[in-house]
Amino acid sequence: PEDSYEKMQARAKEKAYPFPYLFDATQATAKAYGALVTPHVYLLDGERVLRYRGRVNDNKDTAAVKSHDLTNAIDALLAGKPVETAATKAFGCSVKWRKES
């Protein structure tokens, strides 16, 4: 229930996310990208080429974060440089897959 589409819309509005929020009703997009957990981040460049996938950072405890993986990838792209670490292992709650009928 906490992850309902309505609650995610409210969270996106509350956090003022400056990007679109995808509602993947059929889960086809998640399957196509190989999403395993939430969050499982996919960073695409201006040409929509995948440049980074994986975790946001290396620790659930924000005070213990040592590697800001997503931020580093974004910074590299914005600076016109290659993303040094293009993939990391994502961690979080497993994706709840719909039952196929």
Side-chain angles (χ1 to χ4, degrees):
E2 304 87 41
D3 291 340
S4 71
Y5 181 57
E6 293 75 21
K7 289 200 177 181
M8 292 295 100
Q9 283 181 306
R11 181 172 175 82
K13 187 175 181 179
E14 169 193 326
K15 298 288 186 180
Y17 291 155
F19 48 82
Y21 186 86
L22 171 70
F23 179 59
D24 188 15
T26 66
Q27 296 183 314
T29 302
K31 287 178 183 176
Y33 277 97
L36 301 174
V37 299
T38 58
H40 199 154
V41 176
Y42 298 85
L43 177 64
L44 289 77
D45 66 14
E47 302 297 317
R48 295 189 178 155
V49 173
L50 181 64
R51 298 299 179 185
Y52 173 78
R53 74 168 178 222
R55 63 192 185 200
V56 174
N57 55 47
D58 66 343
N59 203 304
K60 287 189 230 182
D61 178 0
T62 55
V65 171
K66 293 181 180 150
S67 181
H68 298 273
D69 304 294
L70 177 58
T71 299
N72 294 340
I74 292 170
D75 289 346
L77 282 183
L78 292 175
K81 297 177 182 175
V83 175
E84 191 172 311
T85 302
T88 58
K89 184 175 180 180
F91 59 89
C93 297
S94 64
V95 172
K96 309 305 184 259
W97 298 107
R98 293 178 49 189
K99 292 183 181 178
E100 304 276 334
S101 50

